[in-house]
Amino acid sequence: MSMLIAAFMFVALLAVCFAHLLWSIGRTWPIREEKLLAQTVVGTRNIQRMPPKLASFGVAVFTLISGVTALALADHDSGGMGMTLLGVPFAAIFLARGIAGYTAWFQAKTPEPNFRLNDRRVYSPLCLALGAGFLVLVVMRLV
């Protein structure tokens, strides 16, 4: 069961990694206009351009590492207690981002309508699911 959970997490994280990797090399997939892409995926007030390419690359690397970590957590015999404990900060990061998306503070920081819609329907729920997935994988290793 843990491998199935980790596989779904990996696929989602790999998709996020791929999008950020494209943005880090200057592509605007899946939206042709950079301003609209920035409003849709960043959402800060009056945003005109995507964040620096290095920031997108950093997110790509983080999401790939997160996906590989999820797969490693699914193997109950690898890494010992150190691997198990490594899942906790990943769970905390994703849960914090997911919860933040529903706070008034974050909504005020990211008022662009396209972002608000996607955050409510996709970004925050995905982060909550990933955070919960990391917690489940950690608990399954401990039991």
Side-chain angles (χ1 to χ4, degrees):
M1 183 62 152
S2 60
M3 189 52 80
L4 183 64
I5 294 168
F8 278 118
M9 292 172 64
F10 181 78
V11 168
L13 288 163
L14 188 61
V16 173
C17 172
F18 180 72
H20 282 84
L21 189 60
L22 288 175
W23 300 335
S24 76
I25 61 170
R27 302 299 307 244
T28 58
W29 177 88
I31 300 172
R32 291 183 187 194
E33 182 185 322
E34 183 180 11
K35 179 181 176 182
L36 182 57
L37 177 65
Q39 291 171 341
T40 304
V41 300
V42 180
T44 54
R45 186 177 319 279
N46 300 320
I47 190 161
Q48 302 293 315
R49 303 183 56 76
M50 286 294 286
K53 292 176 182 176
L54 188 57
S56 291
F57 184 73
V59 173
V61 169
F62 173 76
T63 55
L64 183 60
I65 290 170
S66 299
V68 171
T69 301
L71 291 175
L73 285 169
D75 180 5
H76 296 279
D77 298 326
S78 71
M81 186 56 76
M83 176 56 71
T84 302
L85 293 176
L86 183 61
V88 175
F90 282 97
I93 289 167
F94 283 106
L95 287 172
R97 168 55 185 93
I99 292 167
Y102 295 106
T103 64
W105 172 82
F106 191 75
Q107 291 172 11
K109 295 284 252 183
T110 56
E112 290 294 333
N114 290 339
F115 180 84
R116 292 283 9 110
L117 178 67
N118 286 323
D119 190 45
R120 193 171 45 254
R121 291 185 179 175
V122 181
Y123 309 149
S124 288
L126 177 61
C127 287
L128 289 172
L130 290 168
F134 275 108
L135 281 181
V136 167
L137 292 172
V138 166
V139 168
M140 290 177 85
R141 282 179 66 100
L142 293 173
V143 175

